[in-house]
Amino acid sequence: MRILCFGDSNTYGFDPRSFSGSRYPAPWPALLAENGWEVENAGMNGRTIPAAACLPPPRSDADLLVVMLGSNDLLQGCSAPETAARMEAFLSRLCPVWRHILLVAPPPMQRGEWVTQARLLSDSAALPALYRDLAQRLGVAFADAGAWGVALCFDGVHFTEDGHRTFARELDLALRSITEAI
């Protein structure tokens, strides 16, 4: 099964220890590929949920679209309900194009260099429940990466290398369960 992973810097594999936007040698999409999945990594540093005027990601030849976005929307001032509304508008445009979609709620942020406001902590913790409800309404699969124990870096947002391994392991389990139903 071919999977298109559409996300932000945590999908791209951004290494926050670098100053030049480098990525880890094995971000979670690459680790999924090591487990036998055909993976296209469409992660991009700084990506927010695409606005209504934007087109959905290209259909390519993937069988399943994995979407993990929302952290940058929160960092740019959106509340959790506003972020969920943006995701709903985005996924509503994708559902007619993609037969199989997995919405992944990013792990909640932690205090760190990028996360100094209590609002970011509470909004990122509220996002999974909103995404779960959204996924149920739209009939798409859902996974809560906040339940996976993904380790975050000093900035409070980005995965550590070990966090990428944990995320890949847990997502692999979720994908196996989803693809059995397809």
Side-chain angles (χ1 to χ4, degrees), residues 43-102:
M44 184 178 80
N45 290 340
R47 179 178 279 143
T48 58
I49 299 165
C54 295
L55 295 174
R59 176 65 175 85
S60 73
D61 62 344
D63 304 300
L64 173 71
L65 174 66
V66 174
V67 176
M68 184 174 67
L69 289 168
S71 296
N72 288 320
D73 301 81
L74 297 174
L75 286 167
Q76 291 183 8
C78 289
S79 68
E82 289 168 333
T83 300
R86 291 174 92 168
M87 182 60 77
E88 183 167 12
F90 179 59
L91 289 180
S92 293
R93 291 190 321 276
L94 293 178
C95 286
V97 178
W98 288 87
R99 220 171 118 213
H100 304 291
I101 299 173
L102 170 61

